[in-house]
Amino acid sequence: MLRDVNTHVSDGLMGFTTATGDGVHIKIGASPIEAGTSILITGDMDAEKIKARLGLSPLADAAMDAVQSGAVKIYCIPVAAATAGTVDEVSKTGKGGGTLTVTGSPNNAFSVIAKITVSGELNTAAFAVSIDGGYRFSDEITIPLTGDYELTGTGLTLHFAEKTDEVYLNSFAVDDTYSFTITAPIMTNGDVLAAVDKLKQFNQEFEFIHVVGESTLPLWLALSEAQKELSAIYHKPAFVLLEAAFPTEDSDGSGGIYDWAAQMETDRKKIANTDIQVCAAWGRIIRLDGRTQIANLAGLVSGRYAKAPVQESIGKTRPEAGYGFSGARLAELLSAGYNNSVIELLDVAGYLTFREYDGLSDIYVYHTKMLCPEGSDYRYAEDVRVRN
């Protein structure tokens, strides 16, 4: 060692990448789970593990959609939704004289079917129940003497009551079926903004935020301002992925979709932010746990962003790119997804849509449009992802 020689070692000049959070995202959604911090979901988790961590909730459903579409790391922020879900009227078929009512506050959207498997009265009759429209039924359960049975994890309790009219042989007869549907709880705009506010002190790298559940222009505008604050003041450049409300149709099938699309076009003109994206596509999804459910397709989109390099469009149709959705995951597009003229209108307006192509069996993202200002260079997510 030469005493008069000072050595200076350079580091970081070979181009090795540092953590940038590419493909990692935040999900904010309604869930009965109480957590002081975010809940990590990884791509190697199965459906039961995800539901155990996030509850039977819209947040869990969206996380499952993302995982089966390519997501490897998701930070989930559960929100106790201020607006409770609703339970529709119970519909009954069968020869028994008993009744079924429902109480509680549901955690998610469910399609419940309770089917009598053994005839009798309370404490002798038995039933099986499905919360996914009949895709999967529970084991046989004896109706309790009290008539009350809690549907674990759903927030609901079933109340069986015996017959009041002696014309019926049994209160509950084999193949009696009670069915009803439930809507999911809904976060208020304040709920969402409070969750986004937590990200100011969030110390993990992430690329975008997915807000789970239908939303409209007032929330888009509020989140546009929140996103600008996160980027400019807290140095967290991230785009926000939102879900448009379900398209409405007139009862006779005329006009409704076009009126909805026209209103969407009008709303879009009121917002100009390269980091706000709204998915306007809805479809019938086969979820990771096997359930078939109608949902906004933003959950699938979030998984594809994790799968794709930041500079690449997730709308690529080349089979080797692997961005299409087969019938095993996305059974069909709904409402506006069937109508090419409506898809084009929404695409030109700046919404993310899905479509089918002649000669291709899969369903694809059309364009990853952002609600950017007119003339912006950042019209597509792949441009925004590279910039951020």
Side-chain angles (χ1 to χ4, degrees), residues 1-9:
M1 177 67 69
L2 300 176
R3 296 178 183 177
D4 59 346
V5 175
N6 295 321
T7 302
H8 299 278
V9 179

Side-chain angles (χ1 to χ4, degrees), residues 312-334:
E312 188 165 287
S313 171
I314 62 171
K316 275 190 172 182
T317 58
R318 289 202 300 271
E320 60 269 21
Y323 297 142
F325 294 94
S326 70
R329 290 184 180 176
L330 179 54
E332 60 178 334
L333 294 176
L334 296 179

Side-chain angles (χ1 to χ4, degrees), residues 99-266:
T99 59
L100 175 71
T101 56
V102 187
T103 60
S105 181
N107 297 328
N108 201 357
F110 301 106
S111 178
V112 181
I113 302 173
K115 183 169 63 177
I116 303 299
T117 56
V118 176
S119 298
E121 308 301 309
L122 296 178
N123 206 36
T124 59
F127 71 103
V129 64
S130 169
I131 62 173
D132 53 18
Y135 175 77
R136 180 169 35 204
F137 278 89
S138 68
D139 294 335
E140 190 173 83
I141 305 160
T142 299
I143 298 177
L145 184 60
T146 61
D148 295 340
Y149 179 78
E150 182 183 350
L151 283 176
T152 305
T154 66
L156 301 171
T157 299
L158 305 181
H159 301 272
F160 292 91
E162 293 182 341
K163 62 185 180 180
T164 56
D165 190 336
E166 292 304 318
V167 70
Y168 295 101
L169 179 63
N170 295 299
S171 291
F172 307 103
V174 172
D175 291 334
D176 282 358
T177 301
Y178 304 90
S179 58
F180 56 96
T181 57
I182 300 163
T183 63
I186 301 172
M187 298 182 294
T188 65
N189 292 359
D191 292 333
V192 176
L193 292 171
V196 172
D197 194 60
K198 296 178 181 178
L199 299 180
K200 294 175 181 177
Q201 309 305 323
F202 190 69
N203 60 5
Q204 302 295 331
E205 297 285 351
F206 64 94
E207 189 185 356
F208 64 97
I209 304 161
H210 173 202
V211 177
V212 179
E214 299 183 31
S215 60
T216 54
L217 180 63
L219 181 59
W220 305 350
L221 291 169
L223 283 174
S224 177
E225 294 306 308
Q227 182 278 325
K228 292 174 185 176
E229 183 182 18
L230 272 179
S231 179
I233 298 176
Y234 294 91
H235 309 292
K236 298 177 183 289
F239 69 93
V240 183
L241 173 62
L242 294 151
E243 304 179 6
F246 188 76
T248 54
E249 268 189 87
D250 292 344
S251 58
D252 62 0
S254 65
I257 286 294
Y258 291 96
D259 293 341
W260 170 82
Q263 184 60 53
M264 290 280 285
E265 187 178 32
T266 299

Side-chain angles (χ1 to χ4, degrees), residues 267-348:
D267 289 347
R268 188 269 177 271
K269 294 175 181 176
K270 298 175 182 177
I271 184 169
N273 186 333
T274 61
D275 287 86
I276 298 294
Q277 183 175 70
V278 176
C279 178
W282 284 74
R284 195 178 306 277
I285 296 175
I286 295 88
R287 292 213 145 108
L288 191 62
D289 59 358
R291 288 177 299 136
T292 299
Q293 204 164 21
I294 294 172
N296 188 284
L297 303 185
L300 300 182
V301 171
S302 66
R304 284 297 190 254
Y305 282 141
K307 182 177 181 179
V310 293
Q311 76 281 2
E312 188 165 287
S313 171
I314 62 171
K316 275 190 172 182
T317 58
R318 289 202 300 271
E320 60 269 21
Y323 297 142
F325 294 94
S326 70
R329 290 184 180 176
L330 179 54
E332 60 178 334
L333 294 176
L334 296 179
S335 299
Y338 286 124
N339 191 315
N340 285 339
S341 62
V342 172
I343 292 173
E344 289 293 340
L345 187 153
L346 294 171
D347 177 72
V348 170

